[in-house]
């Protein structure tokens, strides 16, 4: 029986009937290496595996704020930065184009592995968008693909930790461009905690 109470859902994944939906929240483009690893996780499932890929569009105001944070206080006082609405719109367009490129590249990388994948860009808070997609497709598991975020992971405020608290499905956190052996790391880093 599914979480939504639908008693007609076929929960068997070895009979080749139905789909096994997996939602992937990727911080950046899914590389060929990442796509092969993701697809290898499900190659023994007889049901049709469908990947639902979510890639966030970076917030333009956040990009500006982050860039401003890298400037020293002295630099700001000696040469004040004036941002017009045109600058913000240009950054929004650039963020949208970058995310669109990452989405298309990710879907192509998954397709090369033989995976069936659909994707969309998200502008909402990533974990909220993930939760909505999980409910929409009634997925079986979630994969979150990010670069390492040591401090956020330590304090359990990273996407994976937050998703595990909110979702009623298994959540797997993979690190971008690292194979499974590299991610295991022999107990190194925060993943060993």
């Amino acid at each position: 029986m599914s979480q939504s109470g639908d008693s007609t859902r076929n929960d068997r994944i070895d009979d080749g009937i139905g789909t096994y939906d997996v939602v992937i929240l990727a911080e950046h483009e899914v590389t060929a290496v990442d796509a092969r690893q993701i697809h290898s996780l499900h190659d023994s499932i007889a049901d049709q595996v469908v990947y639902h890929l979510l890639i966030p569009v970076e917030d333009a105001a956040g990009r500006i704020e982050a860039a401003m944070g890298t400037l020293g206080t002295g630099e700001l006082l000696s040469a004040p930065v004036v941002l017009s609405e045109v600058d913000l719109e240009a950054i929004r367009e650039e963020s949208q184009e970058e995310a669109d490129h990452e989405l298309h590249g990710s879907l192509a990388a998954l397709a090369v592995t033989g995976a069936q994948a659909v994707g969309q860009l998200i502008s909402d808070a990533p974990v909220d968008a993930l939760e909505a997609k999980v409910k929409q497709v009634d997925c079986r598991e979630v994969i979150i693909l990010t670069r390492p975020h040591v401090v956020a992971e330590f304090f359990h405020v990273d996407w994976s930790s937050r998703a595990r608290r909110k979702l009623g499905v298994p959540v797997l956190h993979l690190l971008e461009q690292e194979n499974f052996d590299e991610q295991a790391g022999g107990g190194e880093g925060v993943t060993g905690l």
Side-chain angles (χ1 to χ4, degrees), residues 26-28 55-68 83 85 87-100 102 121-126 147 159:
E27 186 174 18
H28 296 288
I55 293 187
V57 177
E58 191 174 4
D59 176 52
R63 281 180 71 177
I64 292 171
E65 187 175 310
M68 297 292 286
L83 298 172
E85 216 33 62
D87 295 329
L88 187 57
E89 188 56 37
I91 292 172
R92 274 192 191 106
E93 287 176 19
E94 181 183 318
S95 294
Q96 182 73 32
E97 287 172 9
E98 286 175 15
D100 193 51
E102 289 183 349
L121 299 177
I122 55 172
S123 54
D124 296 336
R147 64 184 186 272
W159 289 353

Side-chain angles (χ1 to χ4, degrees), residues 29-40 109-110 112-113 145 174-180 182-183:
E29 183 171 343
V30 176
T31 66
V33 170
D34 297 329
R36 281 192 304 273
Q37 282 195 137
I38 289 169
H39 194 232
S40 76
L110 286 163
V112 166
T113 70
L145 182 67
L174 297 177
L175 299 177
E176 295 174 346
Q177 301 182 36
E178 286 192 17
N179 66 38
F180 295 140
E182 291 169 331
Q183 290 185 53

Side-chain angles (χ1 to χ4, degrees), residues 22 29 74 80 86 112 149 157:
V22 178
E29 183 171 343
V86 174
V112 166
H149 295 281
V157 294

Side-chain angles (χ1 to χ4, degrees), residues 20-26 38 42 49-54 118 120 126 129-145 167 169-172:
Y20 185 90
D21 293 284
V22 178
V23 178
I24 303 169
L25 174 59
I38 289 169
H42 307 100
V49 178
V50 179
Y51 297 100
H52 303 269
L53 177 64
L54 304 175
V118 294
Q120 72 183 73
L130 174 64
E131 181 180 28
K133 181 56 81 174
V134 164
K135 289 177 182 174
Q136 178 191 0
V137 301
D138 194 23
C139 84
R140 302 287 191 97
E141 70 179 88
V142 167
I143 296 173
I144 298 178
L145 182 67
L167 306 175
V169 297
V171 175
L172 175 64

Side-chain angles (χ1 to χ4, degrees), residues 9 26 30 60 71 75 97 136 143 146 161:
R9 175 174 161 178
V30 176
L71 297 174
E75 293 176 52
E97 287 172 9
Q136 178 191 0
I143 296 173
T146 67
S161 296

